[in-house]
Amino acid sequence: DQQVKQNSPSLSVQEGRISILNCDYTNSMFDYFLWYKKYPAEGPTFLISISSIKDKNEDGRFTVFLNKSAKHLSLHIVPSQPGDSAVYFCAAPLYGQNFVFGPGTRLSVLP
Amino acid sequence: DSGVTQTPKHLITATGQRVTLRCSPRSGDLSVYWYQQSLDQGLQFLIQYYNGEERAKGNILERFSAQQFPDLHSELNLSSLELGDSALYFCASSVGGLAGGIETQYFGPGTRLLVL
């Protein structure tokens, strides 16, 4: 049973445009969400997070939006750059520090 | 570079064998986590250690075990290997000890295990 879903395995965007990566969750107990980015041959690196008491968190070109009623969050990257090409994972702590990860979305930013 | 190191980078072995994966956390981090990533799957949490003691268990098979040593490095032991155990195994570390808080986990580059 996938508690964190990323239904788009891949996404291609033109450089300079907006990238929107989506994530849905089923467990209403989740109250904190994280996005990780992964380049080939490297481990995931933390990108941005959001607590359920907020509906938006921004960090430079990256903004995460949370819609609790829809159990949906999205990561916006504006403007997209070729260096953003990576696999993006959505994650939530199930209990304590034990994260549940989605399957990831591969973003390709085309020059 | 996250500061988390994992060895070996690649491992090829046969079914029925046993292997040990090693992880050194970031300097000062007390918590170590192990994750498995199979093909096209998200990372599956296996187990967490905090300062030498097991803190939480996820979907870890009985054939798998782990430990954290006094110098805080950790080893994941996989035995009676099956073809389906082929995966990327990641170790992560965090400061540890934040009561009720969510800590950023820093991941190592992973060990790619191939069971033939």
Side-chain angles (χ1 to χ4, degrees):
Chain A
D1 176 32
Q2 269 194 340
Q3 300 189 63
V4 177
K5 303 178 186 184
Q6 294 176 261
N7 293 322
S8 298
S10 62
L11 175 69
S12 290
V13 169
Q14 210 67 36
E15 181 180 3
R17 307 294 290 268
I18 184 171
S19 295
I20 300 177
L21 297 102
N22 294 306
C23 176
D24 298 289
Y25 60 96
T26 58
N27 191 335
S28 56
M29 298 297 288
F30 288 153
D31 60 4
Y32 195 88
F33 302 89
L34 308 94
W35 284 92
Y36 275 79
K37 178 169 78 171
K38 184 183 178 306
Y39 292 118
E42 294 183 13
T45 55
F46 170 72
L47 189 59
I48 192 169
S49 62
I50 188 166
S51 163
S52 62
I53 62 172
K54 293 182 161 186
D55 54 17
K56 176 182 172 181
N57 189 26
E58 195 170 350
D59 183 2
R61 296 185 297 113
F62 302 91
T63 302
V64 56
F65 295 92
L66 175 61
N67 182 333
K68 289 187 290 290
S69 60
K71 295 197 182 73
H72 176 84
L73 59 157
S74 60
L75 174 68
H76 294 212
I77 306 174
V78 184
S80 301
Q81 299 174 353
D84 296 329
S85 297
V87 177
Y88 289 79
F89 293 98
C90 172
L94 180 58
Y95 51 89
Q97 284 286 112
N98 308 320
F99 293 174
V100 178
F101 282 81
T105 296
R106 183 178 301 276
L107 174 66
S108 299
V109 179
L110 310 172
Chain B
D1 184 359
S2 67
V4 178
T5 59
Q6 287 186 250
T7 56
K9 280 198 162 120
H10 302 275
L11 199 46
I12 302 175
T13 188
T15 55
Q17 296 297 304
R18 171 190 166 97
V19 297
T20 297
L21 313 184
R22 182 188 168 102
C23 168
S24 292
R26 290 188 324 154
S27 175
D29 283 359
L30 298 178
S31 276
V32 169
Y33 312 79
W34 286 97
Y35 290 86
Q36 178 193 56
Q37 185 185 18
S38 301
L39 192 64
D40 293 333
Q41 300 288 313
L43 285 76
Q44 302 291 321
F45 168 73
L46 296 178
I47 198 164
Q48 177 198 0
Y49 277 83
Y50 171 73
N51 204 19
E53 294 191 3
E54 181 184 306
R55 175 160 277 191
K57 244 178 180 176
N59 298 322
I60 187 166
L61 299 172
E62 283 191 14
R63 300 184 285 110
F64 296 0
S65 65
Q67 52 185 328
Q68 186 179 27
F69 294 86
D71 67 353
L72 300 176
H73 92 269
S74 178
E75 293 181 356
L76 179 67
N77 300 295
L78 315 176
S79 61
S80 303
L81 284 167
E82 302 175 359
L83 296 178
D85 297 328
S86 296
L88 262 172
Y89 291 84
F90 288 103
C91 166
S93 73
S94 70
V95 171
L98 265 187
I102 303 299
E103 300 174 353
T104 298
Q105 293 183 20
Y106 297 87
F107 283 78
T111 292
R112 185 173 293 278
L113 173 67
L114 180 59
V115 182
L116 301 175

